[in-house]
């Protein structure tokens, strides 16, 4: 969050301009200057210039470390490496779309960007057949209609990059480098209470606050805009038909859970349009659904349906699944991060909100009729045996990553009971460090 530089820059030798000042710095000081505060476009320009200089040398510098020379603490984007990193054992084909790195790995096998995207797109598993019938106002209804679970949208390396970005944002919040309402780290006063939240795009109030503001978007409050990496995630999900083009998110909330943290039963406020989605990282957990959920004890809930959320999965909430069924996350078994992306109702936008042009030009990936998915769980048909072999290899690697993670599902909390949600489950926003949020 670099501030404006007032006046004209002049160094001690009388030379004016930024270049003159940079020439007075030593190596360590230069690295400190170049380590933070750049926008996405400046990062790209710096990266291009660094590579141009390295090409002039005729070869990359030879070192044994894989540490980066230049990085941004908000996005975690690497601008120049001292040496190219070896491909991860569980890495999929990477795309040159800003999410998964340079897109150049040993598994690329000379494929074009379009071919790589086709392969990655074909690996996405889409489950849309959730069913649980309940009596609502005397009428039998599938309260899970509209739920979708998409897996393999983000591969292992991309997940790592996103998690690093979140932790960098947390450090910035702790240092006061984010807007007052963006970052909240309340005191953990009991089990399940006190998870860290970071809001972008809007400030949402979960209960009547000390000023009498009702639950909903606080239109007069300002928070930081969506980070570049989060916008890349949105582009990926819209382009790969996970989210529709008519409901592109323009806000999000990040939840950082410690073991035992939870989210109580609720339905998301209608200041946000449907559908919205939650992306899960670090630890698999369960999310409970039902028109009637019960609080069993601090951090423990029961309900008729429990759905596992695999690491890296995207859960879409729409229709009955967003508006009729309540949902909650019982105490998580380990460290977890979730990012919930939502689009604000036009009539509820913050007064100083400015639409992001980057998010208005997203075009969905075009799939030919021969490769279009045919029903639930089916993937686009790939005729090339060479491409099939790559897909099978990457699927095996992804499956192995999932097997290596501890599977600690809390299915014991699934019961068909009723519940009453107390007001203290969503305490009102007070000071920035005392606010509470959900998901």
């Amino acid at each position: 969050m670099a501030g404006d530089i007032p006046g004209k820059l002049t160094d001690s030798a009388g030379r004016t301009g930024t270049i003159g000042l940079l020439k007075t710095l030593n190596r360590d000081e230069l690295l400190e200057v170049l380590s933070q505060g750049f926008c996405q476009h400046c990062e790209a320009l710096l990266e291009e210039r660094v590579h141009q200089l390295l090409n002039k040398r005729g070869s990359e510098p030879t070192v044994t470390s894989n540490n980066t020379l230049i990085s941004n603490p908000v996005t975690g984007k690497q601008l120049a490496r001292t040496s190219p990193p070896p491909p991860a054992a569980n890495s999929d084909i990477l795309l040159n779309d800003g999410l998964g790195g340079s897109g150049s790995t040993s598994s690329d096998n000379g494929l074009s960007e379009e071919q790589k995207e086709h392969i990655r797109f074909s690996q996405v598993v889409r489950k849309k057949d959730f069913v649980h019938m309940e009596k609502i106002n005397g009428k039998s209804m599938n309260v899970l209609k509209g739920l979708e679970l998409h897996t393999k949208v983000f591969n292992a390396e991309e997940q790592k990059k996103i998690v690093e970005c979140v932790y960098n944002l947390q450090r910035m919040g702790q240092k006061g480098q984010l807007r007052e309402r963006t970052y909240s780290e309340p005191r953990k006063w009991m089990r399940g209470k006190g998870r860290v939240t970071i809001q972008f795009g809007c400030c949402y109030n979960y209960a009547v606050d000390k000023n009498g503001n009702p639950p909903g978007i606080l239109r007069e409050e300002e928070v930081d805009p969506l980070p570049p990496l989060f916008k890349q995630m949105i582009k990926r999900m819209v382009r790969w038909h996970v989210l529709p083009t008519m409901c592109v998110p323009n806000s999000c909330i990040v939840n950082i859970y410690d073991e035992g943290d939870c989210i109580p039963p609720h339905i998301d406020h209608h200041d946000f349009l449907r559908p919205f989605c939650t992306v899960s990282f670090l630890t698999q957990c369960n999310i409970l659904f039902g028109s009637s959920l019960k609080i069993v004890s601090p951090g423990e809930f029961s309900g008729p349906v429990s759905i596992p959320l695999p690491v890296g999965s995207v859960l879409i909430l729409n229709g009955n699944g967003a508006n009729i069924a309540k949902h909650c996350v019982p105490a998580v078994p380990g460290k977890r991060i979730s990012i919930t992306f939502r689009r604000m109702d036009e009539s509820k936008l913050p007064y100083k909100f400015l639409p992001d042009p980057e998010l208005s030009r997203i075009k969905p990936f075009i799939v030919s009729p021969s490769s279009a998915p045919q029903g639930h769980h089916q993937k686009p048909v790939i005729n090339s045996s060479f491409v099939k072999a790559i897909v099978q290899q990457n699927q095996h690697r992804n499956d192995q990553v999932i097997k290596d993670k501890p599977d600690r599902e809390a299915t014991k909390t699934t019961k068909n009971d009723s519940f009453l949600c107390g007001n203290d489950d969503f305490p009102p926003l007070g000071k920035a460090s005392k606010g509470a949020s959900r998901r």
Side-chain angles (χ1 to χ4, degrees):
M1 307 316 191
D4 293 332
I5 302 177
K8 191 174 182 180
L9 298 176
T10 304
D11 63 26
S12 58
R15 295 169 293 192
T16 59
T18 305
I19 300 300
L21 280 177
L22 289 175
K23 289 181 178 179
T24 67
L25 304 178
N26 60 36
R27 176 183 175 277
D28 292 336
E29 291 170 333
L30 279 172
L31 290 178
E32 182 177 351
V33 168
L34 297 174
S35 67
Q36 60 183 333
F38 292 100
C39 70
Q40 185 179 12
H41 303 293
C42 293
E43 288 179 13
L45 182 60
L46 278 171
E47 183 175 9
E48 180 181 357
R49 289 181 177 177
V50 169
H51 283 299
Q52 287 175 350
L53 288 173
L54 293 174
N55 290 335
K56 286 181 182 179
R57 293 182 185 178
S59 63
E60 296 272 357
T62 302
V63 293
T64 57
S65 172
N66 288 325
N67 294 330
T68 58
L69 285 174
I70 304 172
S71 63
N72 184 295
V74 176
T75 64
K77 179 174 182 179
Q78 297 170 350
L79 301 183
R81 288 183 179 272
T82 54
S83 64
N90 59 354
S91 175
D92 278 347
I93 293 176
L94 302 181
L95 302 178
N96 191 18
D97 63 0
L99 257 181
S102 66
S104 175
T105 70
S106 60
S107 61
D108 286 353
N109 294 301
L111 298 175
S112 67
E113 286 299 311
E114 185 177 358
Q115 289 171 317
K116 288 188 288 184
E117 183 168 21
H118 182 87
I119 293 171
R120 288 286 308 279
F121 177 81
S122 72
Q123 292 178 301
V124 177
V125 179
R126 308 171 193 269
K127 178 175 174 57
K128 305 180 183 181
D129 55 358
F130 293 100
V131 177
H132 176 70
M133 306 303 294
E134 292 190 22
K135 285 278 189 178
I136 306 296
N137 296 325
K139 184 179 179 180
S140 183
M141 181 181 298
N142 178 14
V143 297
L144 302 185
K145 185 177 181 180
L147 291 186
E148 300 179 12
L149 186 62
H150 300 249
T151 55
K152 301 186 180 179
V153 178
F154 305 104
N155 66 23
E157 181 162 335
E158 291 161 352
Q159 292 176 40
K160 179 182 177 183
K161 185 173 184 178
I162 294 165
V163 169
E164 289 174 350
C165 171
V166 169
Y167 283 143
N168 283 326
L169 288 167
Q170 183 180 19
R171 286 190 287 270
M172 291 180 68
Q174 291 169 338
K175 295 176 182 178
Q177 296 174 342
L178 300 175
R179 289 182 184 270
E180 182 180 7
R181 289 291 200 176
T182 298
Y183 183 78
S184 174
E185 188 170 343
R187 177 178 60 87
K188 289 186 178 297
W189 55 278
M190 66 177 292
R191 185 174 186 264
K193 306 291 184 179
R195 68 187 181 283
V196 173
T197 60
I198 314 174
Q199 298 193 70
F200 295 103
C202 71
C203 177
Y204 180 74
N205 190 31
Y206 289 92
V208 177
D209 64 17
K210 62 181 181 181
N211 297 320
N213 294 311
I217 295 174
L218 298 179
R219 303 184 69 188
E220 70 282 358
E221 296 286 353
E222 290 186 73
V223 297
D224 287 280
L226 289 165
L229 189 63
F230 288 12
K231 290 191 287 186
Q232 290 164 355
M233 293 175 67
I234 292 172
K235 292 176 185 177
R236 168 74 62 81
M237 291 187 289
V238 173
R239 183 161 172 79
W240 287 8
H241 305 261
V242 176
L243 287 170
T245 56
M246 50 59 170
C247 199
V248 177
N250 53 15
S251 72
C252 81
I253 181 168
V254 179
N255 283 273
I256 304 175
Y257 301 72
D258 286 326
E259 181 179 348
D261 286 345
C262 67
I263 294 178
H266 67 280
I267 291 177
D268 282 51
H269 200 283
H270 285 275
D271 279 1
F272 300 101
L273 302 180
R274 273 64 167 152
F276 56 91
C277 73
T278 293
V279 192
S280 301
F281 301 97
L282 293 180
T283 300
Q284 177 170 306
C285 71
N286 287 352
I287 184 168
L288 306 185
F289 281 91
S291 63
S292 180
L293 302 176
K294 183 178 179 180
I295 300 174
V296 178
S297 62
E300 296 299 330
F301 316 108
S302 66
V305 179
S306 178
I307 300 175
L309 298 178
V311 174
S313 65
V314 182
L315 179 68
I316 303 294
L317 292 92
N318 197 11
N320 294 345
N323 301 323
I324 302 298
K326 298 180 177 71
H327 59 275
C328 65
V329 176
V332 297
K335 193 78 173 179
R336 178 181 187 250
I337 290 173
S338 70
I339 307 177
T340 297
F341 292 96
R342 299 181 286 202
R343 183 173 183 84
M344 295 176 278
D345 187 295
E346 293 292 323
S347 65
K348 304 295 184 179
L349 291 174
Y351 293 121
K352 295 185 179 181
F353 177 81
L354 295 175
D356 193 316
E358 281 188 62
L359 301 179
S360 64
R361 303 187 296 267
I362 308 174
K363 296 182 179 180
F365 183 64
I366 299 175
V367 183
S368 62
S370 62
S371 63
Q374 303 296 321
H376 306 315
H377 303 291
Q378 294 186 0
K379 305 175 186 179
V381 177
I382 302 175
N383 295 321
S384 167
S385 59
F386 167 70
V387 175
K388 284 183 179 179
I390 295 176
V391 171
Q392 291 172 354
Q393 179 188 40
N394 289 329
Q395 287 175 339
H396 173 73
R397 289 171 176 168
N398 267 353
D399 292 342
Q400 190 60 45
V401 173
I402 295 174
K403 289 179 181 178
D404 290 342
K405 290 186 175 292
D407 184 12
R408 302 164 64 183
E409 300 178 6
T411 55
K412 62 182 180 180
T413 61
T414 58
K415 299 178 183 178
N416 193 1
D417 294 312
S418 61
F419 94 107
L420 292 175
C421 183
N423 291 332
D424 60 345
D425 289 321
F426 291 122
L429 285 172
K431 296 182 180 179
S433 61
K434 301 296 183 183
S437 304
R438 62 183 174 184
R439 199 178 8 288

